[in-house]
Amino acid sequence: MSDSQLEFLKQLREALPMAAKIEDRREALLENSRDFGQLVGEPVLPLAVVYPQTVADVQNIMRLSYEHGMPVISRGAGTGVSGAAHVTGLCIVMNLMQLNRIIEIRPEDEVAVVEPGVINYDLNEAAAEFGLMYAPDPASYKMSTVGGNIATNAGGLRCAKYGVTRESVLGLDIVLADGRLIRVGKNTFKGVAGYDLTSLFTGSEGTLGVVVRAVLRLRYQPVDERDVSIVFPSLEAAVMGVQSIARARVQPAILELLDLPTIRILDEQYQTDYASRGGAMLLVRLDGYGAEKEETVIREAFSDGPMTLSSSGAPEATQLIEMRRTSRGDTKDDAYRMGEDVAVPKSLMAKYVQELRKIATAHDVDVRVIAHAGDGNLHPTLSVEPESGENPLIRLSEALEESIRVAIDMGGTITGEHGVGLIKREWLTWEQSQDVIQIQHDIKSLLDEKNILNPGKAI
Amino acid sequence: MSDSQLEFLKQLREALPMAAKIEDRREALLENSRDFGQLVGEPVLPLAVVYPQTVADVQNIMRLSYEHGMPVISRGAGTGVSGAAHVTGLCIVMNLMQLNRIIEIRPEDEVAVVEPGVINYDLNEAAAEFGLMYAPDPASYKMSTVGGNIATNAGGLRCAKYGVTRESVLGLDIVLADGRLIRVGKNTFKGVAGYDLTSLFTGSEGTLGVVVRAVLRLRYQPVDERDVSIVFPSLEAAVMGVQSIARARVQPAILELLDLPTIRILDEQYQTDYASRGGAMLLVRLDGYGAEKEETVIREAFSDGPMTLSSSGAPEATQLIEMRRTSRGDTKDDAYRMGEDVAVPKSLMAKYVQELRKIATAHDVDVRVIAHAGDGNLHPTLSVEPESGENPLIRLSEALEESIRVAIDMGGTITGEHGVGLIKREWLTWEQSQDVIQIQHDIKSLLDEKNILNPGKAI
């Protein structure tokens, strides 16, 4: 450690009260050196991990880091999968997990005000006491923080009906790179005063400022929930099914698509036998006062033909949704595996999967697909056995790149909900023009002229 | 006209094809010199009005204006009410009404791609052929353009359930100040690649760039619509009613609140007699598969007590919603009148109106209120007879300013859906800190360093 780094740490300790823990044990550094995203090479350790307890702590940390030009990666639970929280060079990590108060829930306003370290699940538990819910539900909702959800503009299953994180964020308190505290957005459902800075910070992956407080829109929990699983003969038929549901004016809260390889893995894990019934599955959750009628409409729409529907009221479909929620159907073998997150226009989902299968065949890798089908957001998993043929990792990564190219060629995006982070930065230039990327870098420079806020991420 | 202005116009004519009309007749200049917002003093006329027919025309206009440092106000139908399209000095007006093609409607994707001059109503007519709708419905929807709706991030009645304009804008093509064309956002429902520039441009009132193409999310029209009007004994009771509806887990598509003075004016205009039944009214539209059950729930919730409900299926409530939609209940007298657009946390709506009435009494002015009650967005109208007492205009404007202060003190905003434009700029500093306003000016400078895009507006 250099003298200037030692001096920085000394000043950091002096600037913070006793309560704000500063960690430099290797174990803590390692734990905070990355998120759930793939890591190429050995982990890089931060200089220290600091756990602010108050907004003033965050301001002091940023003020000092700004003075010293010290990069800061702010993070929550680190459940992101794009490497946005990966350490890549000299920096400190600011772990916001202990800034975790639910400041208030105002049921009459359907609003919650929280600190960034609050776990998504805990907020939902607290809101449930008033019959309310916080809608965004990324797969990690039992572990991930609201601050992390905001940093990545996280999606989830329920966003088919209730929108992504951005739609639930009304206002933010942000600590800027130099330690100043600002408040953007509003405390009300509607508001158009000035530019939409709230949306600019939402999804910016800690590169523009540090979220220290969020005003969130809650919703009343639906009165009724009905789950239906539908096995289709083929993936193409299931995608047609997605369109039939929309044309029937049904708006599912959850609408998930599983392909045959995914079904096979679930069958294996849970001793079920769905794979014998067809080639793809839709999992549908209907909620609210219309749920009963919507279920009837769906059952009628799929009564003719080779589809198999779960019985009304049976726990089967609900179990499948939970299975889907907690798993991509990953098995515990030793295969190399890469999970993706493209989105395409809804009508092109089947075509996209056909192209994907061609790519997989051409490179001799395996592919399976799940999708938030209501949003056209697909999560393919490409995998290859380490011992299979020549250069398995190269084949895998070539197939992956082609799969991204094809999504863009279809008018899609490189990331539907996971974010660019570190891992998808090179692909961003495939999707966006140099002018658009430059504007984003200019905005970044404007708010962080010393480039100390999670440098090298998101854009 | 100075030589340099003449030279600019000459070059403008040369730069554009014959089809792109350039107007300098006084009548056209006058018509394009302002929007529906209040005008203080005489109208200021632009140098010329230009009607681009193609995106290339817009680029040529901006390129030339950039070279000459000529300010450009881009506008559509001019139905905005905050003066965002008011001419305040030397400039040309770029009227985008003739850039009005619906480029495509992709029903299977629930997406429309349009030019900015398309009228909101026309898009809805075209979408209806596929059973689809474009949800944002500002009161001006029969006249206003989609581009104008995007420039102001317009709200409307249906946004209680379906969100404001921003929630329906997926991607934008933007001509920058120097004439470069960029594409931001996405062609899919979800997408988190890079910063959310789409939201930054949405609501920026033509100060950051010119929208020349928009990818919009459509929705299938609901299967069922049921309207209920409920007369409450008092405004306080009606606001309690709003909360009862939410607690009953009912999500109305439309939820409008009318106070007694507004009801009286409607009674007068339409020879009805609602005012005799109570002190405030809620207009509720329920839609979708749940509409029938939701109507039952609402009727049960308000069956006990002094409320009067419209009969089920009677045309009365639907007529009232249409009356409300097209009118604030403005009468044709000579009163000075100022309409406002604050939003407050939902639970504080009654308290806000109480304060508002105190303010009106103190300044001896009249007040009436309608509200998008599902969103806490209130539209008070303050008015005073020209001959009543001393300094009627000063009393009116003092009352107005106090009404804005009170909204901010309650955690509200100076503008729920109309935008800052020209008229509310001084109030923006009441709501936002100097740091936040500076960031917005810095972003403006970044994208428009010569300050030629609608200078002096929005921030």
Side-chain angles (χ1 to χ4, degrees), chain A residues 378-403:
Chain A
L378 300 112
H379 292 310
T381 302
L382 293 159
S383 62
V384 66
E385 295 298 325
E387 305 299 319
S388 81
E390 281 182 38
N391 300 323
L393 267 179
I394 290 175
R395 276 155 41 214
L396 185 63
S397 99
E398 283 176 356
L400 185 73
E401 294 218 335
E402 279 182 40
S403 79

PDB file of all heavy atoms in Angstrom, chain A residues 378-403:
ATOM      1  N   LEU A 378     -35.899 -12.062 -23.023  1.00  0.00           N
ATOM      2  CA  LEU A 378     -35.471 -13.477 -23.000  1.00  0.00           C
ATOM      3  C   LEU A 378     -34.182 -13.674 -22.211  1.00  0.00           C
ATOM      4  O   LEU A 378     -33.262 -12.857 -22.300  1.00  0.00           O
ATOM      5  CB  LEU A 378     -35.241 -13.973 -24.432  1.00  0.00           C
ATOM      6  CG  LEU A 378     -36.449 -13.932 -25.375  1.00  0.00           C
ATOM      7  CD1 LEU A 378     -36.222 -12.897 -26.453  1.00  0.00           C
ATOM      8  CD2 LEU A 378     -36.703 -15.302 -25.993  1.00  0.00           C
ATOM      9  N   HIS A 379     -34.145 -14.759 -21.461  1.00  0.00           N
ATOM     10  CA  HIS A 379     -32.933 -15.152 -20.744  1.00  0.00           C
ATOM     11  C   HIS A 379     -32.453 -16.494 -21.273  1.00  0.00           C
ATOM     12  O   HIS A 379     -32.720 -17.534 -20.671  1.00  0.00           O
ATOM     13  CB  HIS A 379     -33.212 -15.248 -19.239  1.00  0.00           C
ATOM     14  CG  HIS A 379     -33.502 -13.936 -18.592  1.00  0.00           C
ATOM     15  ND1 HIS A 379     -32.709 -12.822 -18.748  1.00  0.00           N
ATOM     16  CD2 HIS A 379     -34.500 -13.547 -17.781  1.00  0.00           C
ATOM     17  CE1 HIS A 379     -33.209 -11.811 -18.056  1.00  0.00           C
ATOM     18  NE2 HIS A 379     -34.305 -12.213 -17.467  1.00  0.00           N
ATOM     19  N   PRO A 380     -31.727 -16.488 -22.388  1.00  0.00           N
ATOM     20  CA  PRO A 380     -31.132 -17.746 -22.852  1.00  0.00           C
ATOM     21  C   PRO A 380     -29.947 -18.120 -21.954  1.00  0.00           C
ATOM     22  O   PRO A 380     -29.252 -17.232 -21.446  1.00  0.00           O
ATOM     23  CB  PRO A 380     -30.630 -17.409 -24.260  1.00  0.00           C
ATOM     24  CG  PRO A 380     -31.160 -16.048 -24.584  1.00  0.00           C
ATOM     25  CD  PRO A 380     -31.421 -15.369 -23.291  1.00  0.00           C
ATOM     26  N   THR A 381     -29.749 -19.396 -21.760  1.00  0.00           N
ATOM     27  CA  THR A 381     -28.520 -19.872 -21.136  1.00  0.00           C
ATOM     28  C   THR A 381     -27.794 -20.741 -22.151  1.00  0.00           C
ATOM     29  O   THR A 381     -28.351 -21.731 -22.625  1.00  0.00           O
ATOM     30  CB  THR A 381     -28.818 -20.703 -19.871  1.00  0.00           C
ATOM     31  OG1 THR A 381     -29.570 -19.896 -18.960  1.00  0.00           O
ATOM     32  CG2 THR A 381     -27.524 -21.148 -19.200  1.00  0.00           C
ATOM     33  N   LEU A 382     -26.588 -20.327 -22.485  1.00  0.00           N
ATOM     34  CA  LEU A 382     -25.748 -21.114 -23.381  1.00  0.00           C
ATOM     35  C   LEU A 382     -24.749 -21.873 -22.516  1.00  0.00           C
ATOM     36  O   LEU A 382     -24.209 -21.315 -21.551  1.00  0.00           O
ATOM     37  CB  LEU A 382     -24.996 -20.186 -24.356  1.00  0.00           C
ATOM     38  CG  LEU A 382     -25.886 -19.463 -25.372  1.00  0.00           C
ATOM     39  CD1 LEU A 382     -25.174 -18.234 -25.918  1.00  0.00           C
ATOM     40  CD2 LEU A 382     -26.276 -20.401 -26.507  1.00  0.00           C
ATOM     41  N   SER A 383     -24.531 -23.136 -22.831  1.00  0.00           N
ATOM     42  CA  SER A 383     -23.585 -23.893 -22.009  1.00  0.00           C
ATOM     43  C   SER A 383     -22.858 -24.934 -22.844  1.00  0.00           C
ATOM     44  O   SER A 383     -23.306 -25.319 -23.927  1.00  0.00           O
ATOM     45  CB  SER A 383     -24.315 -24.573 -20.847  1.00  0.00           C
ATOM     46  OG  SER A 383     -25.262 -25.498 -21.333  1.00  0.00           O
ATOM     47  N   VAL A 384     -21.745 -25.374 -22.310  1.00  0.00           N
ATOM     48  CA  VAL A 384     -20.937 -26.372 -23.011  1.00  0.00           C
ATOM     49  C   VAL A 384     -20.175 -27.179 -21.959  1.00  0.00           C
ATOM     50  O   VAL A 384     -19.777 -26.643 -20.911  1.00  0.00           O
ATOM     51  CB  VAL A 384     -19.986 -25.680 -24.026  1.00  0.00           C
ATOM     52  CG1 VAL A 384     -18.940 -24.821 -23.307  1.00  0.00           C
ATOM     53  CG2 VAL A 384     -19.311 -26.684 -24.936  1.00  0.00           C
ATOM     54  N   GLU A 385     -20.028 -28.461 -22.221  1.00  0.00           N
ATOM     55  CA  GLU A 385     -19.247 -29.301 -21.300  1.00  0.00           C
ATOM     56  C   GLU A 385     -17.764 -29.017 -21.508  1.00  0.00           C
ATOM     57  O   GLU A 385     -17.305 -28.925 -22.650  1.00  0.00           O
ATOM     58  CB  GLU A 385     -19.524 -30.784 -21.576  1.00  0.00           C
ATOM     59  CG  GLU A 385     -20.959 -31.223 -21.296  1.00  0.00           C
ATOM     60  CD  GLU A 385     -21.347 -31.049 -19.847  1.00  0.00           C
ATOM     61  OE1 GLU A 385     -20.482 -31.230 -18.956  1.00  0.00           O
ATOM     62  OE2 GLU A 385     -22.524 -30.699 -19.580  1.00  0.00           O
ATOM     63  N   PRO A 386     -16.996 -28.899 -20.421  1.00  0.00           N
ATOM     64  CA  PRO A 386     -15.572 -28.535 -20.538  1.00  0.00           C
ATOM     65  C   PRO A 386     -14.781 -29.511 -21.415  1.00  0.00           C
ATOM     66  O   PRO A 386     -13.830 -29.109 -22.080  1.00  0.00           O
ATOM     67  CB  PRO A 386     -15.054 -28.588 -19.100  1.00  0.00           C
ATOM     68  CG  PRO A 386     -16.261 -28.474 -18.245  1.00  0.00           C
ATOM     69  CD  PRO A 386     -17.416 -29.040 -19.018  1.00  0.00           C
ATOM     70  N   GLU A 387     -15.200 -30.776 -21.441  1.00  0.00           N
ATOM     71  CA  GLU A 387     -14.409 -31.775 -22.163  1.00  0.00           C
ATOM     72  C   GLU A 387     -14.901 -32.001 -23.595  1.00  0.00           C
ATOM     73  O   GLU A 387     -14.410 -32.866 -24.300  1.00  0.00           O
ATOM     74  CB  GLU A 387     -14.441 -33.116 -21.417  1.00  0.00           C
ATOM     75  CG  GLU A 387     -14.006 -33.025 -19.970  1.00  0.00           C
ATOM     76  CD  GLU A 387     -12.557 -32.538 -19.835  1.00  0.00           C
ATOM     77  OE1 GLU A 387     -11.716 -32.982 -20.637  1.00  0.00           O
ATOM     78  OE2 GLU A 387     -12.289 -31.681 -18.970  1.00  0.00           O
ATOM     79  N   SER A 388     -15.918 -31.230 -24.021  1.00  0.00           N
ATOM     80  CA  SER A 388     -16.544 -31.516 -25.307  1.00  0.00           C
ATOM     81  C   SER A 388     -15.843 -30.812 -26.461  1.00  0.00           C
ATOM     82  O   SER A 388     -15.903 -29.590 -26.582  1.00  0.00           O
ATOM     83  CB  SER A 388     -18.007 -31.097 -25.281  1.00  0.00           C
ATOM     84  OG  SER A 388     -18.105 -29.713 -25.492  1.00  0.00           O
ATOM     85  N   GLY A 389     -15.194 -31.544 -27.293  1.00  0.00           N
ATOM     86  CA  GLY A 389     -14.611 -31.001 -28.524  1.00  0.00           C
ATOM     87  C   GLY A 389     -13.523 -29.972 -28.280  1.00  0.00           C
ATOM     88  O   GLY A 389     -12.993 -29.838 -27.163  1.00  0.00           O
ATOM     89  N   GLU A 390     -13.223 -29.216 -29.326  1.00  0.00           N
ATOM     90  CA  GLU A 390     -12.114 -28.270 -29.240  1.00  0.00           C
ATOM     91  C   GLU A 390     -12.577 -26.898 -28.771  1.00  0.00           C
ATOM     92  O   GLU A 390     -13.664 -26.444 -29.111  1.00  0.00           O
ATOM     93  CB  GLU A 390     -11.455 -28.124 -30.622  1.00  0.00           C
ATOM     94  CG  GLU A 390     -10.520 -29.275 -30.927  1.00  0.00           C
ATOM     95  CD  GLU A 390      -9.836 -29.089 -32.263  1.00  0.00           C
ATOM     96  OE1 GLU A 390      -9.488 -27.940 -32.599  1.00  0.00           O
ATOM     97  OE2 GLU A 390      -9.667 -30.097 -32.978  1.00  0.00           O
ATOM     98  N   ASN A 391     -11.739 -26.241 -28.000  1.00  0.00           N
ATOM     99  CA  ASN A 391     -11.972 -24.853 -27.565  1.00  0.00           C
ATOM    100  C   ASN A 391     -13.406 -24.569 -27.092  1.00  0.00           C
ATOM    101  O   ASN A 391     -14.072 -23.691 -27.619  1.00  0.00           O
ATOM    102  CB  ASN A 391     -11.652 -23.888 -28.714  1.00  0.00           C
ATOM    103  CG  ASN A 391     -10.217 -24.016 -29.158  1.00  0.00           C
ATOM    104  OD1 ASN A 391      -9.323 -24.223 -28.323  1.00  0.00           O
ATOM    105  ND2 ASN A 391      -9.991 -23.932 -30.458  1.00  0.00           N
ATOM    106  N   PRO A 392     -13.877 -25.320 -26.124  1.00  0.00           N
ATOM    107  CA  PRO A 392     -15.278 -25.147 -25.725  1.00  0.00           C
ATOM    108  C   PRO A 392     -15.605 -23.707 -25.304  1.00  0.00           C
ATOM    109  O   PRO A 392     -16.664 -23.187 -25.657  1.00  0.00           O
ATOM    110  CB  PRO A 392     -15.445 -26.121 -24.553  1.00  0.00           C
ATOM    111  CG  PRO A 392     -14.064 -26.504 -24.121  1.00  0.00           C
ATOM    112  CD  PRO A 392     -13.202 -26.373 -25.322  1.00  0.00           C
ATOM    113  N   LEU A 393     -14.665 -23.053 -24.609  1.00  0.00           N
ATOM    114  CA  LEU A 393     -14.949 -21.691 -24.149  1.00  0.00           C
ATOM    115  C   LEU A 393     -15.043 -20.705 -25.306  1.00  0.00           C
ATOM    116  O   LEU A 393     -15.857 -19.776 -25.281  1.00  0.00           O
ATOM    117  CB  LEU A 393     -13.886 -21.226 -23.153  1.00  0.00           C
ATOM    118  CG  LEU A 393     -14.242 -21.483 -21.683  1.00  0.00           C
ATOM    119  CD1 LEU A 393     -13.104 -21.017 -20.784  1.00  0.00           C
ATOM    120  CD2 LEU A 393     -15.547 -20.779 -21.313  1.00  0.00           C
ATOM    121  N   ILE A 394     -14.221 -20.908 -26.305  1.00  0.00           N
ATOM    122  CA  ILE A 394     -14.275 -20.026 -27.476  1.00  0.00           C
ATOM    123  C   ILE A 394     -15.578 -20.235 -28.231  1.00  0.00           C
ATOM    124  O   ILE A 394     -16.249 -19.273 -28.624  1.00  0.00           O
ATOM    125  CB  ILE A 394     -13.048 -20.268 -28.391  1.00  0.00           C
ATOM    126  CG1 ILE A 394     -11.796 -19.749 -27.678  1.00  0.00           C
ATOM    127  CG2 ILE A 394     -13.217 -19.565 -29.744  1.00  0.00           C
ATOM    128  CD1 ILE A 394     -10.498 -20.014 -28.403  1.00  0.00           C
ATOM    129  N   ARG A 395     -15.959 -21.505 -28.399  1.00  0.00           N
ATOM    130  CA  ARG A 395     -17.236 -21.780 -29.065  1.00  0.00           C
ATOM    131  C   ARG A 395     -18.386 -21.123 -28.317  1.00  0.00           C
ATOM    132  O   ARG A 395     -19.286 -20.521 -28.904  1.00  0.00           O
ATOM    133  CB  ARG A 395     -17.470 -23.291 -29.146  1.00  0.00           C
ATOM    134  CG  ARG A 395     -16.785 -23.930 -30.351  1.00  0.00           C
ATOM    135  CD  ARG A 395     -16.487 -25.397 -30.148  1.00  0.00           C
ATOM    136  NE  ARG A 395     -17.544 -26.126 -29.496  1.00  0.00           N
ATOM    137  CZ  ARG A 395     -17.358 -27.150 -28.653  1.00  0.00           C
ATOM    138  NH1 ARG A 395     -16.125 -27.560 -28.378  1.00  0.00           N
ATOM    139  NH2 ARG A 395     -18.376 -27.761 -28.098  1.00  0.00           N
ATOM    140  N   LEU A 396     -18.325 -21.241 -26.983  1.00  0.00           N
ATOM    141  CA  LEU A 396     -19.390 -20.666 -26.161  1.00  0.00           C
ATOM    142  C   LEU A 396     -19.456 -19.163 -26.341  1.00  0.00           C
ATOM    143  O   LEU A 396     -20.535 -18.577 -26.543  1.00  0.00           O
ATOM    144  CB  LEU A 396     -19.126 -21.005 -24.686  1.00  0.00           C
ATOM    145  CG  LEU A 396     -20.184 -20.589 -23.689  1.00  0.00           C
ATOM    146  CD1 LEU A 396     -21.499 -21.312 -23.961  1.00  0.00           C
ATOM    147  CD2 LEU A 396     -19.726 -20.893 -22.259  1.00  0.00           C
ATOM    148  N   SER A 397     -18.277 -18.531 -26.316  1.00  0.00           N
ATOM    149  CA  SER A 397     -18.332 -17.073 -26.361  1.00  0.00           C
ATOM    150  C   SER A 397     -18.657 -16.568 -27.771  1.00  0.00           C
ATOM    151  O   SER A 397     -19.306 -15.532 -27.928  1.00  0.00           O
ATOM    152  CB  SER A 397     -17.053 -16.470 -25.770  1.00  0.00           C
ATOM    153  OG  SER A 397     -16.170 -16.100 -26.759  1.00  0.00           O
ATOM    154  N   GLU A 398     -18.275 -17.325 -28.784  1.00  0.00           N
ATOM    155  CA  GLU A 398     -18.695 -16.940 -30.142  1.00  0.00           C
ATOM    156  C   GLU A 398     -20.209 -17.066 -30.310  1.00  0.00           C
ATOM    157  O   GLU A 398     -20.854 -16.200 -30.908  1.00  0.00           O
ATOM    158  CB  GLU A 398     -17.966 -17.809 -31.186  1.00  0.00           C
ATOM    159  CG  GLU A 398     -16.521 -17.368 -31.399  1.00  0.00           C
ATOM    160  CD  GLU A 398     -15.746 -18.275 -32.352  1.00  0.00           C
ATOM    161  OE1 GLU A 398     -16.313 -19.304 -32.795  1.00  0.00           O
ATOM    162  OE2 GLU A 398     -14.578 -17.962 -32.636  1.00  0.00           O
ATOM    163  N   ALA A 399     -20.749 -18.147 -29.788  1.00  0.00           N
ATOM    164  CA  ALA A 399     -22.204 -18.337 -29.868  1.00  0.00           C
ATOM    165  C   ALA A 399     -22.919 -17.204 -29.135  1.00  0.00           C
ATOM    166  O   ALA A 399     -23.912 -16.642 -29.609  1.00  0.00           O
ATOM    167  CB  ALA A 399     -22.596 -19.683 -29.277  1.00  0.00           C
ATOM    168  N   LEU A 400     -22.367 -16.850 -27.980  1.00  0.00           N
ATOM    169  CA  LEU A 400     -22.956 -15.773 -27.186  1.00  0.00           C
ATOM    170  C   LEU A 400     -22.973 -14.461 -27.969  1.00  0.00           C
ATOM    171  O   LEU A 400     -24.006 -13.789 -28.073  1.00  0.00           O
ATOM    172  CB  LEU A 400     -22.157 -15.597 -25.898  1.00  0.00           C
ATOM    173  CG  LEU A 400     -22.715 -14.600 -24.901  1.00  0.00           C
ATOM    174  CD1 LEU A 400     -23.944 -15.163 -24.217  1.00  0.00           C
ATOM    175  CD2 LEU A 400     -21.669 -14.228 -23.854  1.00  0.00           C
ATOM    176  N   GLU A 401     -21.837 -14.117 -28.553  1.00  0.00           N
ATOM    177  CA  GLU A 401     -21.765 -12.858 -29.305  1.00  0.00           C
ATOM    178  C   GLU A 401     -22.748 -12.855 -30.471  1.00  0.00           C
ATOM    179  O   GLU A 401     -23.418 -11.850 -30.717  1.00  0.00           O
ATOM    180  CB  GLU A 401     -20.337 -12.636 -29.814  1.00  0.00           C
ATOM    181  CG  GLU A 401     -19.341 -12.420 -28.689  1.00  0.00           C
ATOM    182  CD  GLU A 401     -18.291 -11.370 -29.022  1.00  0.00           C
ATOM    183  OE1 GLU A 401     -18.014 -11.149 -30.212  1.00  0.00           O
ATOM    184  OE2 GLU A 401     -17.766 -10.733 -28.074  1.00  0.00           O
ATOM    185  N   GLU A 402     -22.822 -13.994 -31.171  1.00  0.00           N
ATOM    186  CA  GLU A 402     -23.768 -14.061 -32.283  1.00  0.00           C
ATOM    187  C   GLU A 402     -25.205 -13.889 -31.793  1.00  0.00           C
ATOM    188  O   GLU A 402     -26.028 -13.259 -32.457  1.00  0.00           O
ATOM    189  CB  GLU A 402     -23.614 -15.387 -33.038  1.00  0.00           C
ATOM    190  CG  GLU A 402     -22.465 -15.366 -34.017  1.00  0.00           C
ATOM    191  CD  GLU A 402     -22.355 -16.670 -34.797  1.00  0.00           C
ATOM    192  OE1 GLU A 402     -23.387 -17.232 -35.195  1.00  0.00           O
ATOM    193  OE2 GLU A 402     -21.209 -17.130 -34.973  1.00  0.00           O
ATOM    194  N   SER A 403     -25.478 -14.460 -30.636  1.00  0.00           N
ATOM    195  CA  SER A 403     -26.854 -14.361 -30.106  1.00  0.00           C
ATOM    196  C   SER A 403     -27.212 -12.909 -29.787  1.00  0.00           C
ATOM    197  O   SER A 403     -28.366 -12.501 -29.919  1.00  0.00           O
ATOM    198  CB  SER A 403     -27.016 -15.238 -28.862  1.00  0.00           C
ATOM    199  OG  SER A 403     -26.459 -14.614 -27.716  1.00  0.00           O
TER     200      SER A 403
END
